[in-house]
Amino acid sequence: EKKKDQQESRETPVSREEPEKEYPVKRIWTFGEDGESLWEKIRQHRKMLRNRWAILGSVLVLILLSGGLYLNFHVAKSYSVLHSEKRNDINGTRYERFGKNLLKYSSDGVSCLTDKGGTLWSSTFSIQSPLLDICQNTAAIGEKDGTQVFIYNQDGQVGQFQTLLPIEKIRVARQGVVAVILEDRESTWINFYDSEGELIAENRTSLEESGYPLDIALSPDGRKMMVAFLKTAEGKVETDVAFYNFDSIGKANVNNLVNTVTYENVAVPEVFFVNDKVSVAFRGDGFSVYKGREVPEETANVTFEEEILSVCYDEKHIGFVFQSDKEEHKYLLRVYNMNGRRTAQKYFDFDYKEIRIDEGKILMIQEGAMAVFTSGGRLRAQIKYDKPIENVLALDGFAKYMILTRESTDKIRLK
């Protein structure tokens, strides 16, 4: 039995109670008497930062909103003169936008100026009645009823030549090629020259055959020409808008003529190219838009019942002024895009003598006042000026303009 008890004791494990292990307790650091945790401090700090950013964002939104409302609804009634220079040029001197600069020209010569008044280059000539045409950074000046032609770019003169017949109109493309209408006693010539005067193409016209060329236009690339021919037959008036292509496609056609659109009982006094693909004809009763890189086709035809008083345009907008159909206003302005769709309409009472679109702004000028409209028809400024205004140009910068008067050239800011 003793052996049996020893054997059972070896086979049966002896139960021993092990002492309970003590695991470390994760403790949250605390600060202060209230036992506030570090994580709570961090959470509150993050919340405070979020609130500050939210407040700052709200303030910025309010500032932007206020600025937008100011720009959209504020109408400038006064101005401050930033700089003024006394004019010492001759009568008849004019300024036109020339790329990012200004072109100053008269019968004595031409200069290229920065909008800060610096002179980049100047050239002298003697022309009684200068005709100017500008295409982007290239300009051509011809002598009305004379034979001289001068061509310039941003660096100065690039060409000069003389025609054999008196010049009636002149147009230039960006690479310096020039189209001119030349007057003869019995016929009219439409000639096409390079910048050195080499004849590229010529077209003799007569009233009996093609009609009288009212206006011409060149595409900026110099490959297409647009001519409006006025024709009369049996007491009826019609206008042919003809397109010429001087590229390979046009060479396969007689006189490079690729398309003609005829308008009955109406004249087309002005045509122009918006870019290489789009062109516009102003008719006496409306306007037409043509599109096509090689062969332009009419894509929009807008006709008005009202009489057109004035026209203005740039690369994106076309504006027309009519007599108002409302007794409480004098005039009506309508603005269209290059698809022929009306984008704005505005009644106004400003008695202007000249209207133009410059830098996307519609500028109306009278001798002692000016008005500025956006292309959307919103009135932005209407001020009285203390000197007779001859011309106005929009400048870079907020509400900056150049005012040309008989006495001075002024840079102003509307306010």
Side-chain angles (χ1 to χ4, degrees):
E1 293 181 2
K2 187 176 180 180
K3 290 180 179 181
K4 185 177 179 181
D5 292 338
Q6 291 176 350
Q7 186 177 359
E8 290 178 354
S9 65
R10 285 197 299 270
E11 294 177 355
T12 304
V14 179
S15 176
R16 295 187 179 89
E17 292 187 2
E18 296 183 0
E20 185 177 351
K21 293 183 178 181
E22 294 185 1
Y23 295 95
V25 177
K26 185 181 288 186
R27 302 191 57 158
I28 307 271
W29 296 349
T30 60
F31 300 84
E33 296 180 356
D34 57 353
E36 186 178 19
S37 69
L38 174 63
W39 305 112
E40 182 66 19
K41 284 274 190 182
I42 294 174
R43 188 185 69 80
Q44 291 183 2
H45 181 68
R46 289 175 177 174
K47 182 179 180 180
M48 179 185 66
L49 290 178
R50 286 196 300 268
N51 291 338
R52 286 182 178 178
W53 280 112
I55 293 171
L56 180 60
S58 300
V59 171
L60 290 175
V61 169
L62 288 174
I63 292 174
L64 292 174
L65 182 60
S66 300
L69 291 174
Y70 177 85
L71 291 176
N72 284 329
F73 296 102
H74 175 71
V75 178
K77 299 291 186 181
S78 61
Y79 62 93
S80 58
V81 178
L82 305 177
H83 181 70
S84 181
E85 289 186 6
K86 185 178 180 179
R87 290 184 63 174
N88 54 11
D89 44 42
I90 65 173
N91 291 334
T93 300
R94 294 188 61 84
Y95 292 74
E96 295 292 341
R97 184 168 302 284
F98 188 41
K100 293 294 184 181
N101 301 307
L102 300 174
L103 203 65
K104 171 186 173 183
Y105 70 101
S106 67
S107 60
D108 286 347
V110 59
S111 301
C112 183
L113 311 175
T114 67
D115 60 3
K116 295 182 180 180
T119 300
L120 298 178
W121 54 260
S122 62
S123 176
T124 60
F125 49 64
S126 179
I127 292 178
Q128 283 191 343
S129 301
L131 297 172
L132 172 70
D133 187 56
I134 295 175
C135 178
Q136 298 174 5
N137 293 321
T138 304
I141 295 179
E143 183 179 17
K144 171 73 171 174
D145 299 325
T147 60
Q148 298 185 79
V149 175
F150 302 87
I151 304 168
Y152 304 91
N153 63 18
Q154 295 286 322
D155 298 320
Q157 185 172 322
V158 296
Q160 175 185 354
F161 62 90
Q162 286 189 312
T163 61
L164 297 177
L165 295 170
I167 299 169
E168 180 66 23
K169 288 194 176 183
I170 186 169
R171 297 291 182 265
V172 68
R174 60 174 172 254
Q175 73 271 47
V177 297
V178 173
V180 293
I181 295 179
L182 303 176
E183 288 291 346
D184 201 352
R185 291 182 179 180
E186 298 180 356
S187 59
T188 302
W189 293 81
I190 302 173
N191 288 3
F192 197 43
Y193 301 91
D194 67 13
S195 59
E196 297 300 324
E198 292 293 327
L199 186 63
I200 299 173
E202 61 180 354
N203 184 10
R204 178 183 177 276
T205 68
S206 65
L207 291 175
E208 295 77 15
E209 298 173 2
S210 54
Y212 180 78
L214 291 177
D215 197 21
I216 59 173
L218 274 183
S219 61
D221 60 9
R223 297 180 180 180
K224 292 182 294 297
M225 183 169 65
M226 183 181 183
V227 185
F229 291 100
L230 178 67
K231 302 166 67 175
T232 58
E234 299 179 356
K236 294 183 180 180
V237 175
E238 67 179 25
T239 304
D240 288 341
V241 176
F243 292 91
Y244 300 84
N245 187 307
F246 299 100
D247 213 341
S248 57
I249 290 180
K251 291 179 181 179
N253 299 332
V254 178
N255 293 329
N256 299 85
L257 180 65
V258 294
N259 190 23
T260 301
V261 183
T262 300
Y263 301 96
E264 296 182 353
N265 302 317
V266 67
V268 179
E270 186 174 0
V271 295
F272 74 98
F273 275 90
V274 178
N275 52 47
D276 294 332
K277 298 180 182 179
V278 182
S279 55
V280 177
F282 291 121
R283 311 189 315 268
D285 62 351
F287 70 99
S288 295
V289 180
Y290 313 87
K291 294 185 179 180
R293 180 174 289 277
E294 303 295 342
V295 181
E297 301 282 351
E298 186 183 64
T299 58
N301 185 318
V302 179
T303 301
F304 304 128
E305 295 181 359
E306 307 96 327
E307 179 185 359
I308 300 171
L309 300 180
S310 302
V311 175
C312 57
Y313 60 88
D314 63 2
E315 295 80 7
K316 296 180 180 180
H317 311 96
I318 307 172
F320 296 89
V321 178
F322 311 91
Q323 288 286 353
S324 173
D325 56 350
K326 295 185 177 182
E327 293 183 358
E328 60 268 28
H329 296 290
K330 292 183 179 180
Y331 307 106
L332 171 62
L333 169 69
R334 290 185 190 145
V335 182
Y336 294 79
N337 62 19
M338 292 305 168
N339 293 320
R341 185 174 65 86
R342 190 175 74 189
T343 58
Q345 178 168 293
K346 176 70 175 181
Y347 289 93
F348 68 97
D349 300 293
F350 186 79
D351 287 318
Y352 65 95
K353 68 176 183 180
E354 183 180 347
I355 182 172
R356 63 194 303 179
I357 301 181
D358 188 28
E359 296 292 294
K361 304 176 182 69
I362 301 174
L363 306 179
M364 297 184 186
I365 307 164
Q366 58 174 252
E367 184 168 331
M370 63 173 284
V372 181
F373 291 83
T374 67
S375 58
R378 188 180 301 279
L379 179 63
R380 294 293 300 274
Q382 185 168 330
I383 65 169
K384 291 183 179 180
Y385 208 65
D386 59 357
K387 290 177 282 187
I389 298 175
E390 291 188 348
N391 201 358
V392 177
L393 294 173
L395 299 178
D396 289 337
F398 177 69
K400 287 184 178 180
Y401 294 86
M402 175 179 285
I403 308 294
L404 304 174
T405 74
R406 300 189 188 100
E407 305 170 0
S408 62
T409 301
D410 304 333
K411 294 178 185 177
I412 69 167
R413 187 193 300 275
L414 301 178
K415 60 182 183 178

